[in-house]
PDB file of all heavy atoms in Angstrom:
ATOM      1  N   PRO A   1      24.942  -8.469 -99.289  1.00  0.00           N
ATOM      2  CA  PRO A   1      23.576  -8.603 -99.818  1.00  0.00           C
ATOM      3  C   PRO A   1      23.072 -10.034 -99.639  1.00  0.00           C
ATOM      4  O   PRO A   1      23.518 -10.958-100.322  1.00  0.00           O
ATOM      5  CB  PRO A   1      23.731  -8.239-101.303  1.00  0.00           C
ATOM      6  CG  PRO A   1      25.177  -8.479-101.619  1.00  0.00           C
ATOM      7  CD  PRO A   1      25.938  -8.217-100.350  1.00  0.00           C
ATOM      8  N   LEU A   2      22.145 -10.242 -98.731  1.00  0.00           N
ATOM      9  CA  LEU A   2      21.756 -11.591 -98.309  1.00  0.00           C
ATOM     10  C   LEU A   2      21.126 -12.407 -99.426  1.00  0.00           C
ATOM     11  O   LEU A   2      21.182 -13.640 -99.406  1.00  0.00           O
ATOM     12  CB  LEU A   2      20.799 -11.490 -97.122  1.00  0.00           C
ATOM     13  CG  LEU A   2      21.397 -10.832 -95.871  1.00  0.00           C
ATOM     14  CD1 LEU A   2      20.366 -10.763 -94.759  1.00  0.00           C
ATOM     15  CD2 LEU A   2      22.628 -11.594 -95.406  1.00  0.00           C
ATOM     16  N   ASP A   3      20.519 -11.747-100.388  1.00  0.00           N
ATOM     17  CA  ASP A   3      19.898 -12.486-101.493  1.00  0.00           C
ATOM     18  C   ASP A   3      20.928 -13.256-102.309  1.00  0.00           C
ATOM     19  O   ASP A   3      20.582 -14.205-103.020  1.00  0.00           O
ATOM     20  CB  ASP A   3      19.126 -11.531-102.405  1.00  0.00           C
ATOM     21  CG  ASP A   3      17.895 -10.948-101.727  1.00  0.00           C
ATOM     22  OD1 ASP A   3      17.454 -11.536-100.713  1.00  0.00           O
ATOM     23  OD2 ASP A   3      17.378  -9.923-102.199  1.00  0.00           O
ATOM     24  N   ASP A   4      22.203 -12.850-102.221  1.00  0.00           N
ATOM     25  CA  ASP A   4      23.250 -13.508-103.011  1.00  0.00           C
ATOM     26  C   ASP A   4      23.826 -14.740-102.323  1.00  0.00           C
ATOM     27  O   ASP A   4      24.619 -15.471-102.927  1.00  0.00           O
ATOM     28  CB  ASP A   4      24.403 -12.525-103.286  1.00  0.00           C
ATOM     29  CG  ASP A   4      23.964 -11.355-104.147  1.00  0.00           C
ATOM     30  OD1 ASP A   4      22.900 -11.451-104.778  1.00  0.00           O
ATOM     31  OD2 ASP A   4      24.684 -10.339-104.171  1.00  0.00           O
ATOM     32  N   LEU A   5      23.444 -14.975-101.064  1.00  0.00           N
ATOM     33  CA  LEU A   5      24.065 -16.058-100.305  1.00  0.00           C
ATOM     34  C   LEU A   5      23.825 -17.421-100.950  1.00  0.00           C
ATOM     35  O   LEU A   5      24.703 -18.300-100.922  1.00  0.00           O
ATOM     36  CB  LEU A   5      23.539 -16.060 -98.862  1.00  0.00           C
ATOM     37  CG  LEU A   5      24.253 -16.994 -97.889  1.00  0.00           C
ATOM     38  CD1 LEU A   5      25.731 -16.625 -97.770  1.00  0.00           C
ATOM     39  CD2 LEU A   5      23.578 -16.943 -96.514  1.00  0.00           C
ATOM     40  N   VAL A   6      22.681 -17.619-101.558  1.00  0.00           N
ATOM     41  CA  VAL A   6      22.362 -18.923-102.156  1.00  0.00           C
ATOM     42  C   VAL A   6      23.259 -19.224-103.355  1.00  0.00           C
ATOM     43  O   VAL A   6      23.359 -20.379-103.782  1.00  0.00           O
ATOM     44  CB  VAL A   6      20.881 -18.980-102.588  1.00  0.00           C
ATOM     45  CG1 VAL A   6      19.977 -18.906-101.370  1.00  0.00           C
ATOM     46  CG2 VAL A   6      20.558 -17.864-103.578  1.00  0.00           C
ATOM     47  N   ASP A   7      23.902 -18.204-103.917  1.00  0.00           N
ATOM     48  CA  ASP A   7      24.750 -18.395-105.094  1.00  0.00           C
ATOM     49  C   ASP A   7      26.225 -18.536-104.727  1.00  0.00           C
ATOM     50  O   ASP A   7      27.070 -18.680-105.613  1.00  0.00           O
ATOM     51  CB  ASP A   7      24.591 -17.213-106.059  1.00  0.00           C
ATOM     52  CG  ASP A   7      23.162 -17.087-106.588  1.00  0.00           C
ATOM     53  OD1 ASP A   7      22.549 -18.126-106.864  1.00  0.00           O
ATOM     54  OD2 ASP A   7      22.674 -15.943-106.697  1.00  0.00           O
ATOM     55  N   GLU A   8      26.548 -18.493-103.436  1.00  0.00           N
ATOM     56  CA  GLU A   8      27.946 -18.597-103.010  1.00  0.00           C
ATOM     57  C   GLU A   8      28.343 -20.070-102.880  1.00  0.00           C
ATOM     58  O   GLU A   8      27.719 -20.813-102.135  1.00  0.00           O
ATOM     59  CB  GLU A   8      28.159 -17.895-101.670  1.00  0.00           C
ATOM     60  CG  GLU A   8      27.912 -16.404-101.695  1.00  0.00           C
ATOM     61  CD  GLU A   8      28.990 -15.642-102.441  1.00  0.00           C
ATOM     62  OE1 GLU A   8      30.036 -16.255-102.763  1.00  0.00           O
ATOM     63  OE2 GLU A   8      28.798 -14.443-102.700  1.00  0.00           O
ATOM     64  N   PRO A   9      29.401 -20.492-103.576  1.00  0.00           N
ATOM     65  CA  PRO A   9      29.831 -21.902-103.449  1.00  0.00           C
ATOM     66  C   PRO A   9      30.562 -22.195-102.149  1.00  0.00           C
ATOM     67  O   PRO A   9      30.522 -23.320-101.654  1.00  0.00           O
ATOM     68  CB  PRO A   9      30.767 -22.083-104.653  1.00  0.00           C
ATOM     69  CG  PRO A   9      31.289 -20.712-104.938  1.00  0.00           C
ATOM     70  CD  PRO A   9      30.174 -19.762-104.589  1.00  0.00           C
ATOM     71  N   LEU A  10      31.216 -21.177-101.563  1.00  0.00           N
ATOM     72  CA  LEU A  10      31.988 -21.393-100.340  1.00  0.00           C
ATOM     73  C   LEU A  10      32.019 -20.105 -99.520  1.00  0.00           C
ATOM     74  O   LEU A  10      32.375 -19.048-100.034  1.00  0.00           O
ATOM     75  CB  LEU A  10      33.417 -21.824-100.671  1.00  0.00           C
ATOM     76  CG  LEU A  10      34.389 -21.965 -99.503  1.00  0.00           C
ATOM     77  CD1 LEU A  10      33.913 -23.019 -98.523  1.00  0.00           C
ATOM     78  CD2 LEU A  10      35.787 -22.316-100.005  1.00  0.00           C
ATOM     79  N   VAL A  11      31.651 -20.218 -98.243  1.00  0.00           N
ATOM     80  CA  VAL A  11      31.629 -19.066 -97.344  1.00  0.00           C
ATOM     81  C   VAL A  11      32.316 -19.451 -96.033  1.00  0.00           C
ATOM     82  O   VAL A  11      32.020 -20.500 -95.455  1.00  0.00           O
ATOM     83  CB  VAL A  11      30.195 -18.588 -97.045  1.00  0.00           C
ATOM     84  CG1 VAL A  11      30.235 -17.302 -96.217  1.00  0.00           C
ATOM     85  CG2 VAL A  11      29.403 -18.376 -98.318  1.00  0.00           C
ATOM     86  N   ILE A  12      33.223 -18.598 -95.579  1.00  0.00           N
ATOM     87  CA  ILE A  12      33.858 -18.757 -94.281  1.00  0.00           C
ATOM     88  C   ILE A  12      33.248 -17.726 -93.341  1.00  0.00           C
ATOM     89  O   ILE A  12      33.295 -16.526 -93.621  1.00  0.00           O
ATOM     90  CB  ILE A  12      35.387 -18.551 -94.352  1.00  0.00           C
ATOM     91  CG1 ILE A  12      35.996 -19.418 -95.472  1.00  0.00           C
ATOM     92  CG2 ILE A  12      36.030 -18.865 -93.008  1.00  0.00           C
ATOM     93  CD1 ILE A  12      35.788 -20.899 -95.316  1.00  0.00           C
ATOM     94  N   PHE A  13      32.667 -18.189 -92.235  1.00  0.00           N
ATOM     95  CA  PHE A  13      32.053 -17.299 -91.251  1.00  0.00           C
ATOM     96  C   PHE A  13      32.954 -17.202 -90.023  1.00  0.00           C
ATOM     97  O   PHE A  13      33.403 -18.222 -89.492  1.00  0.00           O
ATOM     98  CB  PHE A  13      30.684 -17.833 -90.813  1.00  0.00           C
ATOM     99  CG  PHE A  13      29.647 -17.863 -91.897  1.00  0.00           C
ATOM    100  CD1 PHE A  13      29.492 -18.984 -92.691  1.00  0.00           C
ATOM    101  CD2 PHE A  13      28.814 -16.774 -92.117  1.00  0.00           C
ATOM    102  CE1 PHE A  13      28.526 -19.030 -93.688  1.00  0.00           C
ATOM    103  CE2 PHE A  13      27.844 -16.808 -93.111  1.00  0.00           C
ATOM    104  CZ  PHE A  13      27.701 -17.939 -93.904  1.00  0.00           C
ATOM    105  N   VAL A  14      33.199 -15.974 -89.576  1.00  0.00           N
ATOM    106  CA  VAL A  14      33.958 -15.733 -88.349  1.00  0.00           C
ATOM    107  C   VAL A  14      33.101 -14.830 -87.476  1.00  0.00           C
ATOM    108  O   VAL A  14      32.722 -13.736 -87.896  1.00  0.00           O
ATOM    109  CB  VAL A  14      35.312 -15.053 -88.626  1.00  0.00           C
ATOM    110  CG1 VAL A  14      36.082 -14.869 -87.323  1.00  0.00           C
ATOM    111  CG2 VAL A  14      36.129 -15.855 -89.627  1.00  0.00           C
ATOM    112  N   CYS A  15      32.769 -15.296 -86.276  1.00  0.00           N
ATOM    113  CA  CYS A  15      31.914 -14.468 -85.430  1.00  0.00           C
ATOM    114  C   CYS A  15      32.281 -14.622 -83.967  1.00  0.00           C
ATOM    115  O   CYS A  15      32.714 -15.684 -83.522  1.00  0.00           O
ATOM    116  CB  CYS A  15      30.436 -14.776 -85.653  1.00  0.00           C
ATOM    117  SG  CYS A  15      29.915 -16.417 -85.135  1.00  0.00           S
ATOM    118  N   SER A  16      32.112 -13.555 -83.243  1.00  0.00           N
ATOM    119  CA  SER A  16      32.344 -13.552 -81.807  1.00  0.00           C
ATOM    120  C   SER A  16      31.013 -13.674 -81.085  1.00  0.00           C
ATOM    121  O   SER A  16      29.939 -13.512 -81.671  1.00  0.00           O
ATOM    122  CB  SER A  16      33.058 -12.263 -81.391  1.00  0.00           C
ATOM    123  OG  SER A  16      32.271 -11.135 -81.740  1.00  0.00           O
ATOM    124  N   THR A  17      31.092 -13.956 -79.800  1.00  0.00           N
ATOM    125  CA  THR A  17      29.912 -13.974 -78.938  1.00  0.00           C
ATOM    126  C   THR A  17      30.086 -12.880 -77.898  1.00  0.00           C
ATOM    127  O   THR A  17      31.123 -12.796 -77.245  1.00  0.00           O
ATOM    128  CB  THR A  17      29.744 -15.337 -78.248  1.00  0.00           C
ATOM    129  OG1 THR A  17      29.521 -16.351 -79.235  1.00  0.00           O
ATOM    130  CG2 THR A  17      28.562 -15.315 -77.279  1.00  0.00           C
ATOM    131  N   THR A  18      29.085 -12.033 -77.751  1.00  0.00           N
ATOM    132  CA  THR A  18      29.169 -10.937 -76.796  1.00  0.00           C
ATOM    133  C   THR A  18      28.300 -11.243 -75.586  1.00  0.00           C
ATOM    134  O   THR A  18      27.218 -11.825 -75.716  1.00  0.00           O
ATOM    135  CB  THR A  18      28.726  -9.610 -77.442  1.00  0.00           C
ATOM    136  OG1 THR A  18      27.332  -9.702 -77.771  1.00  0.00           O
ATOM    137  CG2 THR A  18      29.519  -9.333 -78.692  1.00  0.00           C
ATOM    138  N   GLY A  19      28.797 -10.860 -74.428  1.00  0.00           N
ATOM    139  CA  GLY A  19      28.025 -11.111 -73.219  1.00  0.00           C
ATOM    140  C   GLY A  19      27.762 -12.588 -73.033  1.00  0.00           C
ATOM    141  O   GLY A  19      28.604 -13.442 -73.315  1.00  0.00           O
ATOM    142  N   ASN A  20      26.567 -12.911 -72.599  1.00  0.00           N
ATOM    143  CA  ASN A  20      26.213 -14.308 -72.328  1.00  0.00           C
ATOM    144  C   ASN A  20      25.417 -14.893 -73.487  1.00  0.00           C
ATOM    145  O   ASN A  20      24.244 -15.240 -73.357  1.00  0.00           O
ATOM    146  CB  ASN A  20      25.415 -14.413 -71.027  1.00  0.00           C
ATOM    147  CG  ASN A  20      25.298 -15.853 -70.538  1.00  0.00           C
ATOM    148  OD1 ASN A  20      26.099 -16.708 -70.919  1.00  0.00           O
ATOM    149  ND2 ASN A  20      24.305 -16.112 -69.711  1.00  0.00           N
ATOM    150  N   GLY A  21      26.070 -14.987 -74.656  1.00  0.00           N
ATOM    151  CA  GLY A  21      25.453 -15.679 -75.786  1.00  0.00           C
ATOM    152  C   GLY A  21      24.869 -14.810 -76.866  1.00  0.00           C
ATOM    153  O   GLY A  21      24.211 -15.312 -77.774  1.00  0.00           O
ATOM    154  N   ALA A  22      25.102 -13.491 -76.830  1.00  0.00           N
ATOM    155  CA  ALA A  22      24.504 -12.593 -77.815  1.00  0.00           C
ATOM    156  C   ALA A  22      25.354 -12.513 -79.075  1.00  0.00           C
ATOM    157  O   ALA A  22      26.560 -12.723 -79.047  1.00  0.00           O
ATOM    158  CB  ALA A  22      24.332 -11.198 -77.220  1.00  0.00           C
ATOM    159  N   GLU A  23      24.685 -12.187 -80.194  1.00  0.00           N
ATOM    160  CA  GLU A  23      25.379 -12.017 -81.462  1.00  0.00           C
ATOM    161  C   GLU A  23      25.926 -10.591 -81.556  1.00  0.00           C
ATOM    162  O   GLU A  23      25.356  -9.662 -80.988  1.00  0.00           O
ATOM    163  CB  GLU A  23      24.431 -12.259 -82.654  1.00  0.00           C
ATOM    164  CG  GLU A  23      23.768 -13.603 -82.663  1.00  0.00           C
ATOM    165  CD  GLU A  23      22.544 -13.646 -81.759  1.00  0.00           C
ATOM    166  OE1 GLU A  23      21.925 -12.578 -81.527  1.00  0.00           O
ATOM    167  OE2 GLU A  23      22.226 -14.739 -81.269  1.00  0.00           O
ATOM    168  N   PRO A  24      27.015 -10.386 -82.289  1.00  0.00           N
ATOM    169  CA  PRO A  24      27.503  -9.025 -82.540  1.00  0.00           C
ATOM    170  C   PRO A  24      26.467  -8.219 -83.310  1.00  0.00           C
ATOM    171  O   PRO A  24      25.670  -8.779 -84.077  1.00  0.00           O
ATOM    172  CB  PRO A  24      28.771  -9.243 -83.374  1.00  0.00           C
ATOM    173  CG  PRO A  24      29.155 -10.661 -83.146  1.00  0.00           C
ATOM    174  CD  PRO A  24      27.886 -11.407 -82.900  1.00  0.00           C
ATOM    175  N   ARG A  25      26.489  -6.922 -83.135  1.00  0.00           N
ATOM    176  CA  ARG A  25      25.484  -6.075 -83.783  1.00  0.00           C
ATOM    177  C   ARG A  25      25.544  -6.159 -85.301  1.00  0.00           C
ATOM    178  O   ARG A  25      24.505  -6.112 -85.969  1.00  0.00           O
ATOM    179  CB  ARG A  25      25.662  -4.625 -83.326  1.00  0.00           C
ATOM    180  CG  ARG A  25      25.097  -4.354 -81.952  1.00  0.00           C
ATOM    181  CD  ARG A  25      25.430  -2.962 -81.466  1.00  0.00           C
ATOM    182  NE  ARG A  25      26.863  -2.811 -81.220  1.00  0.00           N
ATOM    183  CZ  ARG A  25      27.423  -1.697 -80.782  1.00  0.00           C
ATOM    184  NH1 ARG A  25      26.684  -0.617 -80.580  1.00  0.00           N
ATOM    185  NH2 ARG A  25      28.727  -1.642 -80.566  1.00  0.00           N
ATOM    186  N   ASN A  26      26.756  -6.278 -85.881  1.00  0.00           N
ATOM    187  CA  ASN A  26      26.833  -6.320 -87.345  1.00  0.00           C
ATOM    188  C   ASN A  26      26.590  -7.714 -87.905  1.00  0.00           C
ATOM    189  O   ASN A  26      26.905  -7.990 -89.052  1.00  0.00           O
ATOM    190  CB  ASN A  26      28.164  -5.765 -87.845  1.00  0.00           C
ATOM    191  CG  ASN A  26      29.365  -6.571 -87.370  1.00  0.00           C
ATOM    192  OD1 ASN A  26      29.233  -7.529 -86.612  1.00  0.00           O
ATOM    193  ND2 ASN A  26      30.542  -6.173 -87.816  1.00  0.00           N
ATOM    194  N   MET A  27      26.014  -8.589 -87.089  1.00  0.00           N
ATOM    195  CA  MET A  27      25.602  -9.922 -87.537  1.00  0.00           C
ATOM    196  C   MET A  27      24.093 -10.095 -87.448  1.00  0.00           C
ATOM    197  O   MET A  27      23.530 -11.035 -88.011  1.00  0.00           O
ATOM    198  CB  MET A  27      26.300 -10.984 -86.679  1.00  0.00           C
ATOM    199  CG  MET A  27      25.874 -12.413 -86.923  1.00  0.00           C
ATOM    200  SD  MET A  27      26.735 -13.567 -85.796  1.00  0.00           S
ATOM    201  CE  MET A  27      25.820 -15.088 -86.125  1.00  0.00           C
ATOM    202  N   MET A  28      23.404  -9.177 -86.776  1.00  0.00           N
ATOM    203  CA  MET A  28      22.002  -9.391 -86.423  1.00  0.00           C
ATOM    204  C   MET A  28      21.082  -9.470 -87.626  1.00  0.00           C
ATOM    205  O   MET A  28      20.154 -10.287 -87.660  1.00  0.00           O
ATOM    206  CB  MET A  28      21.532  -8.283 -85.472  1.00  0.00           C
ATOM    207  CG  MET A  28      22.127  -8.404 -84.078  1.00  0.00           C
ATOM    208  SD  MET A  28      21.515  -7.126 -82.958  1.00  0.00           S
ATOM    209  CE  MET A  28      22.349  -7.634 -81.433  1.00  0.00           C
ATOM    210  N   THR A  29      21.311  -8.633 -88.633  1.00  0.00           N
ATOM    211  CA  THR A  29      20.428  -8.655 -89.802  1.00  0.00           C
ATOM    212  C   THR A  29      20.499  -9.995 -90.512  1.00  0.00           C
ATOM    213  O   THR A  29      19.465 -10.598 -90.850  1.00  0.00           O
ATOM    214  CB  THR A  29      20.798  -7.526 -90.774  1.00  0.00           C
ATOM    215  OG1 THR A  29      20.667  -6.263 -90.115  1.00  0.00           O
ATOM    216  CG2 THR A  29      19.900  -7.554 -92.003  1.00  0.00           C
ATOM    217  N   LEU A  30      21.705 -10.497 -90.747  1.00  0.00           N
ATOM    218  CA  LEU A  30      21.858 -11.803 -91.389  1.00  0.00           C
ATOM    219  C   LEU A  30      21.239 -12.893 -90.535  1.00  0.00           C
ATOM    220  O   LEU A  30      20.544 -13.774 -91.049  1.00  0.00           O
ATOM    221  CB  LEU A  30      23.336 -12.097 -91.645  1.00  0.00           C
ATOM    222  CG  LEU A  30      23.661 -13.468 -92.245  1.00  0.00           C
ATOM    223  CD1 LEU A  30      24.775 -13.357 -93.283  1.00  0.00           C
ATOM    224  CD2 LEU A  30      24.071 -14.472 -91.167  1.00  0.00           C
ATOM    225  N   TRP A  31      21.468 -12.836 -89.224  1.00  0.00           N
ATOM    226  CA  TRP A  31      20.962 -13.880 -88.347  1.00  0.00           C
ATOM    227  C   TRP A  31      19.432 -13.914 -88.337  1.00  0.00           C
ATOM    228  O   TRP A  31      18.813 -14.977 -88.415  1.00  0.00           O
ATOM    229  CB  TRP A  31      21.501 -13.677 -86.938  1.00  0.00           C
ATOM    230  CG  TRP A  31      21.043 -14.697 -85.950  1.00  0.00           C
ATOM    231  CD1 TRP A  31      20.361 -14.485 -84.796  1.00  0.00           C
ATOM    232  CD2 TRP A  31      21.230 -16.112 -86.025  1.00  0.00           C
ATOM    233  NE1 TRP A  31      20.112 -15.660 -84.152  1.00  0.00           N
ATOM    234  CE2 TRP A  31      20.633 -16.685 -84.886  1.00  0.00           C
ATOM    235  CE3 TRP A  31      21.833 -16.955 -86.955  1.00  0.00           C
ATOM    236  CZ2 TRP A  31      20.623 -18.059 -84.645  1.00  0.00           C
ATOM    237  CZ3 TRP A  31      21.830 -18.326 -86.720  1.00  0.00           C
ATOM    238  CH2 TRP A  31      21.224 -18.861 -85.576  1.00  0.00           C
ATOM    239  N   LYS A  32      18.805 -12.752 -88.264  1.00  0.00           N
ATOM    240  CA  LYS A  32      17.342 -12.703 -88.274  1.00  0.00           C
ATOM    241  C   LYS A  32      16.782 -13.229 -89.590  1.00  0.00           C
ATOM    242  O   LYS A  32      15.736 -13.887 -89.618  1.00  0.00           O
ATOM    243  CB  LYS A  32      16.864 -11.280 -88.020  1.00  0.00           C
ATOM    244  CG  LYS A  32      17.120 -10.789 -86.602  1.00  0.00           C
ATOM    245  CD  LYS A  32      16.662  -9.350 -86.426  1.00  0.00           C
ATOM    246  CE  LYS A  32      16.937  -8.876 -85.006  1.00  0.00           C
ATOM    247  NZ  LYS A  32      16.540  -7.448 -84.811  1.00  0.00           N
ATOM    248  N   THR A  33      17.487 -12.959 -90.688  1.00  0.00           N
ATOM    249  CA  THR A  33      17.032 -13.456 -91.989  1.00  0.00           C
ATOM    250  C   THR A  33      17.129 -14.978 -92.052  1.00  0.00           C
ATOM    251  O   THR A  33      16.219 -15.658 -92.536  1.00  0.00           O
ATOM    252  CB  THR A  33      17.863 -12.832 -93.119  1.00  0.00           C
ATOM    253  OG1 THR A  33      17.741 -11.403 -93.067  1.00  0.00           O
ATOM    254  CG2 THR A  33      17.394 -13.327 -94.483  1.00  0.00           C
ATOM    255  N   LEU A  34      18.241 -15.523 -91.548  1.00  0.00           N
ATOM    256  CA  LEU A  34      18.418 -16.977 -91.574  1.00  0.00           C
ATOM    257  C   LEU A  34      17.397 -17.692 -90.691  1.00  0.00           C
ATOM    258  O   LEU A  34      17.096 -18.869 -90.909  1.00  0.00           O
ATOM    259  CB  LEU A  34      19.831 -17.345 -91.122  1.00  0.00           C
ATOM    260  CG  LEU A  34      20.979 -16.971 -92.065  1.00  0.00           C
ATOM    261  CD1 LEU A  34      22.321 -17.358 -91.445  1.00  0.00           C
ATOM    262  CD2 LEU A  34      20.812 -17.643 -93.419  1.00  0.00           C
ATOM    263  N   LEU A  35      16.851 -16.994 -89.701  1.00  0.00           N
ATOM    264  CA  LEU A  35      15.890 -17.615 -88.781  1.00  0.00           C
ATOM    265  C   LEU A  35      14.463 -17.639 -89.321  1.00  0.00           C
ATOM    266  O   LEU A  35      13.584 -18.211 -88.671  1.00  0.00           O
ATOM    267  CB  LEU A  35      15.908 -16.874 -87.437  1.00  0.00           C
ATOM    268  CG  LEU A  35      17.130 -17.115 -86.544  1.00  0.00           C
ATOM    269  CD1 LEU A  35      17.006 -16.291 -85.270  1.00  0.00           C
ATOM    270  CD2 LEU A  35      17.294 -18.585 -86.212  1.00  0.00           C
ATOM    271  N   ARG A  36      14.248 -17.062 -90.470  1.00  0.00           N
ATOM    272  CA  ARG A  36      12.889 -17.048 -91.020  1.00  0.00           C
ATOM    273  C   ARG A  36      12.358 -18.464 -91.176  1.00  0.00           C
ATOM    274  O   ARG A  36      13.026 -19.347 -91.705  1.00  0.00           O
ATOM    275  CB  ARG A  36      12.869 -16.328 -92.363  1.00  0.00           C
ATOM    276  CG  ARG A  36      12.953 -14.825 -92.267  1.00  0.00           C
ATOM    277  CD  ARG A  36      13.117 -14.184 -93.624  1.00  0.00           C
ATOM    278  NE  ARG A  36      12.290 -14.808 -94.658  1.00  0.00           N
ATOM    279  CZ  ARG A  36      12.371 -14.518 -95.958  1.00  0.00           C
ATOM    280  NH1 ARG A  36      13.265 -13.623 -96.376  1.00  0.00           N
ATOM    281  NH2 ARG A  36      11.585 -15.119 -96.823  1.00  0.00           N
ATOM    282  N   SER A  37      11.124 -18.680 -90.735  1.00  0.00           N
ATOM    283  CA  SER A  37      10.547 -20.025 -90.741  1.00  0.00           C
ATOM    284  C   SER A  37      10.138 -20.488 -92.136  1.00  0.00           C
ATOM    285  O   SER A  37       9.913 -21.697 -92.337  1.00  0.00           O
ATOM    286  CB  SER A  37       9.322 -20.059 -89.819  1.00  0.00           C
ATOM    287  OG  SER A  37       8.341 -19.114 -90.251  1.00  0.00           O
ATOM    288  N   ASP A  38      10.030 -19.571 -93.088  1.00  0.00           N
ATOM    289  CA  ASP A  38       9.589 -19.963 -94.426  1.00  0.00           C
ATOM    290  C   ASP A  38      10.747 -20.356 -95.343  1.00  0.00           C
ATOM    291  O   ASP A  38      10.539 -20.640 -96.526  1.00  0.00           O
ATOM    292  CB  ASP A  38       8.788 -18.830 -95.077  1.00  0.00           C
ATOM    293  CG  ASP A  38       9.594 -17.539 -95.220  1.00  0.00           C
ATOM    294  OD1 ASP A  38      10.626 -17.395 -94.513  1.00  0.00           O
ATOM    295  OD2 ASP A  38       9.205 -16.679 -96.032  1.00  0.00           O
ATOM    296  N   LEU A  39      11.970 -20.393 -94.834  1.00  0.00           N
ATOM    297  CA  LEU A  39      13.108 -20.768 -95.668  1.00  0.00           C
ATOM    298  C   LEU A  39      13.118 -22.282 -95.890  1.00  0.00           C
ATOM    299  O   LEU A  39      12.958 -23.052 -94.939  1.00  0.00           O
ATOM    300  CB  LEU A  39      14.427 -20.336 -95.014  1.00  0.00           C
ATOM    301  CG  LEU A  39      14.629 -18.830 -94.825  1.00  0.00           C
ATOM    302  CD1 LEU A  39      15.965 -18.558 -94.143  1.00  0.00           C
ATOM    303  CD2 LEU A  39      14.556 -18.102 -96.157  1.00  0.00           C
ATOM    304  N   PRO A  40      13.309 -22.746 -97.121  1.00  0.00           N
ATOM    305  CA  PRO A  40      13.335 -24.187 -97.394  1.00  0.00           C
ATOM    306  C   PRO A  40      14.574 -24.853 -96.809  1.00  0.00           C
ATOM    307  O   PRO A  40      15.625 -24.220 -96.668  1.00  0.00           O
ATOM    308  CB  PRO A  40      13.336 -24.258 -98.923  1.00  0.00           C
ATOM    309  CG  PRO A  40      13.907 -22.950 -99.368  1.00  0.00           C
ATOM    310  CD  PRO A  40      13.484 -21.938 -98.355  1.00  0.00           C
TER     311      PRO A  40
END
């Protein structure tokens, strides 16, 4: 649940790269949310 990320004191991220620089499919929702321009 992405709304809870701001309350996490420590997060370890492990991710692969597919093809020539693409994100894995089960990472796309989080990635698109983090890219929002209105985030402080």
Side-chain angles (χ1 to χ4, degrees):
L2 298 179
D3 292 342
D4 296 343
L5 189 60
V6 294
D7 298 321
E8 296 288 349
L10 175 61
V11 186
I12 309 300
F13 295 90
V14 182
C15 67
S16 59
T17 297
T18 65
N20 193 21
E23 303 82 26
R25 282 173 293 180
N26 62 357
M27 174 182 170
M28 288 182 177
T29 300
L30 177 141
W31 180 238
K32 291 178 180 178
T33 301
L34 291 178
L35 287 179
R36 284 172 41 188
S37 59
D38 60 341
L39 297 179

